[in-house]
Amino acid sequence: MLGQPFSHSDFARLDLPYRPQDPQSKHVGIGLIGCGGISRHHLQAYAKAGYSVVALCDIDRDKAVRQRDLFYPEAFVTDDPDELLALDGVAIADITTHPPVRPPLIEAAIRAGKHVLSQKPFVLDLAVGERLANLADECGVLLAVNQNGRWAPHFSYMRQAAGAGWLGKLAGLHFRAHWDHSWVKGLPFEKIRHLILYDYAIHWFDMLATLMHPRTANRVYASFTPGPTPPVEANLFAQVVVEYDDAQASLVFDGHTQRAEQHSTTLVGTRGTLHSSGPDENTQHIEVAVDGGSWHPTLMGRWFDDGFHGAMGELLRAIEDGRAPVHNARDNLASLAICFAAVASAEAHEPVVPGSVTKLHD
């Protein structure tokens, strides 16, 4: 069908495997390190999928106990990561701690012979990320990054549609998020200067890098502001322009939208256009328009918790298949390179070349 206009009869066959995909065996042991707030979504998704979490660890043992009692009552609990990593029943270490303390835990897990799913953003230093990816290769284990947005229903659908060639070669990619992120008030997240461009927008930078692969960005220009009536210390408004040889991308984040919230994405290609929009990240309506007509898929699922199901499911399937997962750490460095360039550009008020900024100080 590629290379030819779509006929109306083709639209009946335009189903895509955008839903999370499970491995043949769900009995691979998972050990969770870090039982803070985000771990609930990991465990909730894994329990619903039927995955096997056999151990939980947190330096505050009570947190691990609470999560165990809620989701996996038979799981082993410890406050010592080394104790968890020494367990024969743990094949995968799901590491959900904050970025500054994560690399040593990832390295310890790799050296213990465990596959790893690292929480995003992966690292604060591209060289550290490259070193960890190389170490995983040397030790014969897989290292993936929990870029769970790839399995949000609308992002997953557009990733599959673009990959199938429906849109042709992409020339315009535009992401818009207008929502209220002031829920971070009083939490450690409020202290992150570039909360939006770094912690939040990494999902969108990752989608951009994934959709454009293997093309690389030439320059990134970004700006940010706290807004006229800042509700929190962090800057909640940001915008980014990304230039390619033969394409352009833009990202707009209005993180203190108190009325009429809206999230939208437009992909423009040489063969078609895809629009996705809705009042939030979980409620999105998609239109695909090509020469033969248009297609309006009805999507099932939600970002939370399908994204976490999809990220772990892909790692489990990659282990079964003996291949690199699509969200492998080395490829994720391209997403981080755009992210770091955007943060540096916002500070310097000038364009930055992705890859020229290798560390993030935030």
Side-chain angles (χ1 to χ4, degrees):
M1 189 161 56
L2 298 185
Q4 300 295 325
F6 285 86
S7 68
H8 289 289
S9 62
D10 288 327
F11 289 98
R13 301 193 297 273
L14 293 186
D15 292 329
L16 291 173
Y18 70 93
R19 299 284 289 148
Q21 304 292 303
D22 288 321
Q24 293 182 7
S25 173
K26 298 183 178 182
H27 302 299
V28 177
I30 300 168
L32 180 73
I33 300 176
C35 294
I38 197 64
S39 68
R40 175 175 65 87
H41 297 287
H42 290 242
L43 295 169
Q44 189 167 279
Y46 302 164
K48 185 177 179 181
Y51 296 163
S52 178
V53 175
V54 299
L56 298 97
C57 174
D58 197 282
I59 56 173
D60 182 346
R61 193 175 187 277
D62 290 343
K63 288 184 177 180
V65 169
R66 285 195 293 271
Q67 299 291 39
R68 176 199 65 187
D69 293 347
L70 280 173
F71 298 104
Y72 287 91
E74 304 300 319
F76 175 79
V77 166
T78 180
D79 58 5
D80 182 356
D82 290 335
E83 188 175 14
L84 182 147
L85 294 174
L87 296 174
D88 290 337
V90 172
I92 298 174
D94 185 11
I95 302 177
T96 70
T97 57
H98 291 294
V101 301
R102 198 183 301 138
L105 292 170
I106 294 174
E107 179 170 351
I110 291 171
R111 293 191 183 280
K114 313 300 183 184
H115 304 289
V116 176
L117 180 64
S118 166
Q119 184 55 272
K120 63 80 195 167
F122 174 36
V123 289
L124 301 175
D125 185 328
L126 298 182
V128 170
E130 186 71 29
R131 182 178 65 80
L132 291 171
N134 290 337
L135 180 63
D137 290 344
E138 293 168 9
C139 293
V141 297
L142 301 182
L143 173 56
V145 179
N146 188 16
Q147 292 289 173
N148 48 78
R150 295 195 193 187
W151 287 272
H154 63 299
F155 278 157
S156 184
Y157 193 93
M158 67 180 68
R159 182 165 58 90
Q160 294 285 343
W166 293 5
L167 307 179
K169 192 170 186 179
L170 293 176
L173 304 90
H174 305 286
F175 304 86
R176 301 287 184 271
H178 312 277
W179 83 112
D180 190 359
H181 207 64
S182 62
W183 61 268
V184 301
K185 187 172 182 62
L187 299 175
F189 291 105
E190 185 180 5
K191 304 298 183 180
I192 301 176
R193 175 173 170 81
H194 290 287
L195 174 67
I196 298 303
L197 283 177
Y198 167 58
D199 183 74
Y200 185 81
I202 186 60
H203 290 295
W204 281 260
F205 292 135
D206 183 68
M207 276 304 302
L208 174 60
T210 299
L211 290 166
M212 291 300 288
H213 181 79
R215 288 185 280 174
T216 58
N218 294 331
R219 297 196 308 171
V220 175
Y221 182 82
S223 63
F224 69 103
T225 178
T229 55
V232 299
E233 289 186 39
N235 295 288
L236 294 183
F237 293 80
Q239 56 187 342
V240 186
V241 173
V242 185
E243 298 176 354
Y244 293 82
D245 282 340
D246 53 1
Q248 63 177 1
S250 64
L251 306 92
V252 172
F253 304 100
D254 294 335
H256 193 212
T257 302
Q258 298 174 285
R259 291 162 289 278
E261 296 185 12
Q262 185 75 14
H263 292 254
S264 65
T265 303
T266 296
L267 306 180
V268 178
T270 56
R271 297 191 62 224
T273 301
L274 185 151
H275 294 293
S276 179
S277 64
D280 57 49
E281 298 159 341
N282 288 310
T283 308
Q284 289 283 301
H285 304 284
I286 287 182
E287 176 185 11
V288 182
V290 294
D291 287 345
S294 61
W295 172 248
H296 299 265
T298 299
L299 301 183
M300 297 176 59
R302 297 170 56 86
W303 184 333
F304 281 43
D305 296 313
D306 284 348
F308 300 89
H309 178 180
M312 181 57 77
E314 168 60 13
L315 177 55
L316 287 166
R317 294 176 71 236
I319 293 169
E320 278 188 347
D321 298 342
R323 59 171 173 83
V326 298
H327 52 339
N328 69 82
R330 183 168 284 102
D331 283 358
N332 189 248
L333 295 177
S335 307
L336 286 177
I338 298 175
C339 175
F340 291 4
V343 171
S345 174
E347 289 288 350
H349 305 289
E350 61 184 22
V352 173
V353 176
S356 65
V357 177
T358 61
K359 296 182 181 181
L360 184 70
H361 303 284
D362 203 334

